[in-house]
Each structure stands twice: as structure tokens, then as C-alpha cells.
Amino acid sequence: MNQTTGGVPLSHQRFQTPAARLVLDLLSSSTGGLTSALASERLLHDGPNSLRRHEKRWYTLLARQFITPLVSLLVAAGIISALLGETRDAVTILGIVVLNGLLGFAQEFRSARALATLQNFLRSTTTILRDGGTVHVVDRATLVRGDVILLKAGDQVPADLRLIDTTDLKIDESTLTGESVPVRKQADPLLQPTDQLHHCANLLFTGTFVRSGGGRGVVIATGRQTILGSIAGLVATTKHVSTFEQNLKILSNFLLKVVAISLAAVVVINVLTKSPAISVTEQLLFAFALAVSVVPEALPAVTTITLSRGALQLARRHVVVKRLTAIEDLGHIDILCTDKTGTLTVNQPTVSKLVADDRRTLITTLLAAIPPSVRAGARLTGDPFDQAIMSFAEREGYAVPGNDVLDEVPFNPERRRSGTLIRERDQFRYIVRGAPEVVLASCQAPANLAEHQQVQSRADQLGQNGERVMAVAVQHLTDRPAGPLEQLEHHLEFVGLISFSDPLKPTSRSAVLEAERMGIEVKVVTGDGAAVAGSVAQQLGLIRSPFEVITGEQLDRLSTAEYDQAARTYRVFARMTPAAKFRLLKSLERTASVGFLGEGINDAPALKLASVSLVVNSAADVAREAADIVLLDKSLGVIIEGIRQGRTIYANILKYVKYTLVGNFGNFFAIAGISLITDFLPMLPVQILLTNILTDFPLVAVAADRVDPAETRRPQHFRLRELGFLTLTLGLVSSLFDFIFFGLFRTQSVTTIQTMWFSYSILSELLLISVLRTSRPVERAQTAAPSLIWLTLAAAVVTILLPLSPFGQSAFHFTQPTFQAMAVVAGLVLSYVVITEVVKRLYYRQYQHHPAQRLYHAA
């Protein structure tokens, strides 16, 4: 970075005082931008316009597998074994550490590559001028010094810029300065250089946002040479913790405390009562191994693999997640708040009707307000309504007007209108387009039409047919106004109404029905009028009458209690400003998990508030930055499919949690308890560690397992109390059978007991997967994924063959099992699985509010 005298480097200060024309000369650029050849040359020299990401190298991922508390315990156990002369046990334990680390590395490396792939879906673009003023939309990473950027409200500033010209430009610099109030910017030279960010009125900085207005700027720094790049290493991001993670952490902390207290008690009692039959060192090794066996160490790997795999599947369905845990949150959604335009409709409006005394005047006035770039055929900066007007005018034979567009006030959801100042020869006109009730309120009595009420009634009638209605009015001027254009919006001359039809997407109706089947309440939250919103919602089957709509203004008149009731009751909300959307979400979030689909600059507060925030890929940069999920295809069906995928992923993660809690804790308490009444260790430390690896091995495939349809029919919520009760109930069944096993084999030799308990523990836990992977009866459940079946069979084969092999007998102290012993174990395993299935069914009958169980009873 260049030398600085404070917050702003000297390399930036030299662009503050010259006029914009001289700044362009310094950068060998012009108002029309760089040539493509010079831009390519600079890109090679300066590198891409991106902050260097702290990518996870393969060796970092590998090293991380061996820097955990669990590995520390295992290494300590290996060292103790070596010091006691148990070299074979030490080598075995360290071998287990290496094997476990390599498996974890392979899983995490695949997940990291999947996340890197996702970034390709999230590339950001910006609009620039090059080659003499030709408009280009380019990847931000390809920006170089001298590029001329076009800025509009909602854009994120893609590089450090010196402004060339502005139109009422206000910038949100809170990402750099912490100041929430937007700062007004202008292109005039500063009287003297400054190193203070808040005094740089003619500079824009990477990562800030355009709150209102627009302008042009020339790039003066990119990538690490920007202000943000110089402090990137100091910028910390807040990690979003999902509700599932929070609840799991609470449960894990509680269970680990129970384990720690239990282990301490077992060790103390055994040391006091069993020494010297079992040495203190052996007792500690046993405690270490038992602690490792009970901790669900594969949970992070299973979670990451499941989420990354799901993220790639969602990306193929045009749903791109920006944070993995958003997939879990997606599955929890109870209420989905969505806009109408583009989500439920095709967002390809066509002109339907004109209401005016003079159709020609209305059409020519509408054409005069359209930006010249759109008139010339460049649709990059035109909205769908401008395009619809242009297409209609072309069909009607109207010529493209030659007037100049001098200035404009962009459409604002709060104002619900836009204004355009044009010049025709020596005359000026200020054209206002917007919501009929807003425009009419600024008009004098409409010429040759009855009264405002009659015009408004006609607008409402068009809206009830599902059409978007725009009112047009004009102010004729002899001179160009000096002050803000908004001051012209009174005593306007009414020109007419134009309505647009925007048909429903063919998939919208089926998507709404599927949402209802999945227990998702769809609410339409739109800035459109009540009439058009009600008409569309009725066509979709969301409401029975088009009048079951409430507006933002009506909501504001309600008390807090009435407001909360209306928020829950109504399904269509019209004329909603950004502030009204924010308040609505705040009310809904008190009692439900809410997904919110936004796209405008003013949707950012509501997006940050929602449990899951979604935007379309074409949304304003500030909205994309605040969102959790980006939709490459703005469709309700895509969102519903994403929610289904989120529920599937959550269900698979919960399978692992239930399996490990029931299996691990049942065996833990049984082994710990039996160690108190015997003068030998029920299982040797190396046997416990091997058991842990073989029982966790198939669970990697849980990420790809199939899920019963019932699990996706209702929002998935982590019920801590129910999960705890399930763990306790089935854990007791597991412990009971462990004691039965000990009772059957108590007369056998120590090595036989240890060997057969090893076989019984693994085989029973492997079959436990088939019971706990579904809340339905096993025979009615979806068939497990092939990968889960094959890995489970592989673990079972190793479990059976290892005690028969010389290697197993040497490395793990197994003894050759007899046929009778294996038969007893097989019978015990089958009995355990049957009893566990029976208890599971009784459990879900007790908790009939469980969503999957409701469907099970109906089946």
C-alpha cells in the first residue's frame, strides 16, 4: 500500500483537487472509458480487483485434523502406553489417530472444494463504459484503474472511485466509518487534499453502497490497493449461528458435563477399589478411550458434508447459499413472505389499456420520459415497464422522440413515483409517473375527466383485473428549474392512466399448493395496490375474495395487539413501504420462523431481520450483501424446492445426532457401570477406540441418505426436550442389553468377554442405524441410500473377520470366538433391534404432534 498520512493514502489524495477531466487524463482515460486493449494490459499488470481470500490450503486442513482435544487425548494415551512398554498398543492408538485424521481430511477437503464451486455462482458484475462510451456489464474482478463506472441506487461501489458527475448522490459508508447516516457526494474538486474519510466528498470507496441518486466515477484503485483492501486483514466478520447449532451446543454441554462427572467418579472408585489388580495408568487409559468413544466427533464432518452436498444440489436447482447453515434455517421456515412481481408473475409486462383524453399525448409523454439508452435499444438500464412501453409504441407506429433527458428522480418505494426532467427545443417538461393515488394527489383537477375519484375508481377497476396501473402527469416549464425536482410535484397536469398485464407463471399455482402441503404459509408482501395484489392472490388460491387485503397504511392505524393479529391473519399485504415490511417481519418473527424474499435497496433492513433472507441474482447489491440465499431463478417453485431440500438436510443431520446419542451414551454408561463390579476392564482402550471408528465409519453416508416424505411435510424444529427424552429412553434399552450381554458371558474368560462385547457393540449399533434413520416403522421407511448400506455392510464384515484374523488378535488383543458365542451375540443383536423398534413406536405414539408421526398414523 502507498504511504498514507492518515486514513486516506497519498495515492488517493492526488485525485481530490484536480478537475474530473484532469483526473481522467492522469489515468489515460476519458468520459467514454478505457479502450479494451489498455484495460487488458492493466489487468495483467495490476491483477484482479479482489481482496485476497484466506483460502484453506490442503495442508492447513490436514493439520487441523490433528489439533483437537480428542486427538490430544488419544496421543496422550499412546504416549502413556509407550512409556509403560506397551509398544504395540501405542502403535495401534497412534495408527487410529492417523486413520481418523485422514478420513476427516478427505471429507473436509471435498467440502472445501464444493464451497469453492459455489463461489462461481455468486460472481458480481458492474456496468461500465469502454471503447468510447459503449456500455458493458463486466465481472468486478476485471475492473482496472481508469475504468468509468455507472452507479445507481442500490449498487455496491466495486472499487475506489473519483466521481466525474453525480445526481443527488448519497452513499452509505457505514462499512468503513460506522456512520449510519448516508453521506452526500459531489464531483467538484476539493480545495485541498484531506486524509479523513468523511471529508472525501468526491471519492467513493470499495464496499460502500449507493443509497440514492446516481452518477459516474473513474476507478483510481482496485483490490488490495483500495482503502478496504488496506484494512481487510483487520476486518472481522460475525459468524451466524443457526438455531440448530445453538440447541445442539446446549445439549452437548449438558451431556459432556454428565460424562465428565461420571468418568471422574468411575476412575476414583476403581482406583480405590481395584488397585493393584488394575493399575492407575490402565484406569486412566480406559477413561481416555471411554471419553473419546462417547463424544460425537464425526458431527462436524457429517454436518459439513451434508450441508456442502446439499448446497451443490440447491445450486443445480438455481438456489445458491451464501452461508451453509442457512440451509438448516431454510428447513425451519413456517412463513414465506414474497413479492408478487417476478416471483408469482412472469415479470414481462405488456401494455393492456390506456385511459386518457388524448392517447397520443399520453404515449409521447411516456416515451419522452424513457432514458435515451433504452430508446436506442440498450436494455441494460431499462426496467420492464419502459421496455413494455417501447414495444407498444413500436407496434402502434410511434417514432422514438429526440428530446434530451436532463435529470431524474428515481422511483422510490416510499414516494411511489418517479420524475424525469426533459428538454424539447427551448421548452422543459417535468414528467411524473407513479401510483395513481399518489400522482393524482399532486394534480390539479384532471382536464375533461369528472373528478379525481372517478379516475381513481377506474384505476381500481383495472387493478381488480390483476393489472398494474401507472398514472402520468406533467409540469410545463419555461426555464430549467434550479432547485430540487421534487418541488415541482404540485399542481401537475394529469395526462392519463396506463395499465400493464403481467400473467402468472404457469408453476405459481402448483407451488402455492405444494407450500400448503408442506405447512408453509405464503404471504404476499408487495408495494402494488390492494386491487392488483388481491386479484393475483385470488387467482393463486391464497385468498377467497380479492378484498381480503390489508395495506401498510391500514396496518399503521392499528394498536400493537391488533397489528400482531392482522400480521398473523392476513395473507396479502399491499402498498407496503420498506419500513412497513420491516415492522411486519418483526411482528411475525416473534412467533414463527420467517423467510423473506427481497430485492430492492430498501429491503436490506428486512432481509437482515428475517430468519432466512432470499434475493434474486439481479437484486440491488446492498440487498445481495444482506441475504443468506441468492436465487438464480426468481420463482416460488424454486424457493419451495429449496425449503424441501433444507428439511431433507436437517433430517439427515438429526439422524446422526440421534444415532450417536443413543448408541454412544447407552454403551458408555454400561461399560462404565460394569467396570465398577468387575476386577478387569470390560473393553481395552484400543478396542474402545476401534469400536468408535467402525461405528462412525458408515455415518459419513448419512449425508446422502433418503428421507421419508413425512420429514419434509412440516417445518423441522429442534425439540431439545423430546430429543433428550428419546436419548434417555433408547439409551436405557441399550444399557439394559449391555448388562444382559454381561450376564450371559460373565463365566467366560476376560479376553472372550472383551472380544464378544466388541462384536456385539458394533453390530448392534450398525443395525441401530436402520431403526433411528426413520420415525416410521422400519418396514414402511424409505430404502436407505446405497452408499449407507454398503458402508454399513463393510463395517459389519470387518467386525466379524477381525477377531478371526491373526492381525486382530495381535494388535487388538482379540481371542478366537466360538460358533456358540457368535450365535449368542447374533440372537442378542436381533433382540435388541426388535425391542428398540418397539420402544421407538411407543415413543412416537406418545408424541403424536411429531410431524412425521401424524403422517404415519394417516398412512
Side-chain angles (χ1 to χ4, degrees), residues 322-365:
K322 292 175 60 181
R323 63 175 176 86
L324 283 183
T325 54
I327 300 176
E328 295 172 19
D329 294 333
L330 194 62
H332 301 160
I333 288 179
D334 303 292
I335 297 173
L336 177 63
C337 294
T338 177
D339 192 11
K340 173 185 68 67
T341 305
T343 308
L344 304 175
T345 64
V346 296
N347 197 24
Q348 294 178 358
T350 56
V351 174
S352 177
K353 295 181 180 63
L354 299 175
V355 179
D357 285 346
D358 186 340
R359 283 170 53 96
R360 183 175 186 83
T361 300
L362 175 59
I363 295 172
T364 55
T365 302

Side-chain angles (χ1 to χ4, degrees), residues 601-620:
I601 178 174
N602 291 301
D603 285 335
L607 287 166
K608 290 180 179 178
L609 178 67
S611 301
V612 182
S613 51
L614 307 100
V615 299
V616 292
N617 200 32
S618 58

Side-chain angles (χ1 to χ4, degrees), residues 785-804:
S787 56
L788 181 59
I789 294 173
W790 286 112
L791 289 180
T792 302
L793 288 174
V797 169
V798 171
T799 300
I800 293 169
L801 295 181
L802 201 57
L804 301 174

Side-chain angles (χ1 to χ4, degrees), residues 98 170 180 258 327 353 369 410 422 446 527 562 594 614 749 782 831:
V98 172
K170 292 182 180 178
S180 59
V258 172
I327 300 176
K353 295 181 180 63
I422 68 168
E562 291 171 333
V594 183
L614 307 100
S749 66
Q782 285 269 340
S831 300

